[in-house]
Amino acid sequence: PCSASTPKSWAQFSHDNISGAEQEKLASVQLRSLINSIIHDASEDLRLQRAAVNEAFDAHCRQLAEAKGRLEQHLRQILKDIGEEEANIVKLKKAIRDKEAYLKVAQTRL
């Protein structure tokens, strides 16, 4: 008799099951909505971070290009200075050779 099912107990049991299932379904929908919101927020954060990284990378590339231009200009100036110094060395060596004859005459006379 305790475990016997009556139409009233069966209806209550069915109602409780349906009610519990609806609550679980509602909780599942809410959880899915929360998950979608979290995924959307994370996706938006990643997009913003990607944009910030791309902007920083582009700025760094521009800085490197500017630095490269300055270094190339500096290198051209150094190479020009080296060329001028080499020309000076050649002129000095020629001047020394030109003076050697006079030096030899002076040493001979001494």
Side-chain angles (χ1 to χ4, degrees), residues 73-92:
Q73 178 64 29
H74 187 62
L75 178 61
R76 281 192 292 275
Q77 182 62 42
I78 289 173
L79 292 175
K80 179 183 170 193
D81 292 345
I82 289 173
E84 290 172 358
E85 292 302 319
E86 287 175 344
N88 284 340
I89 290 170
V90 168
K91 288 178 186 177
L92 289 172

Side-chain angles (χ1 to χ4, degrees), residues 7 34 36-37 52-54 58 73 80 86 89 98 103:
L34 180 62
N36 285 338
S37 174
V53 167
N54 284 342
D58 289 344
Q73 178 64 29
K80 179 183 170 193
E86 287 175 344
I89 290 170
D98 291 345
L103 180 63

Side-chain angles (χ1 to χ4, degrees), residues 14-32:
S14 295
H15 180 270
D16 292 344
N17 277 343
I18 290 171
S19 201
E22 286 176 353
Q23 288 176 356
E24 291 298 322
K25 184 178 176 182
L26 181 61
S28 176
V29 168
Q30 290 173 344
L31 182 60
R32 173 57 67 185

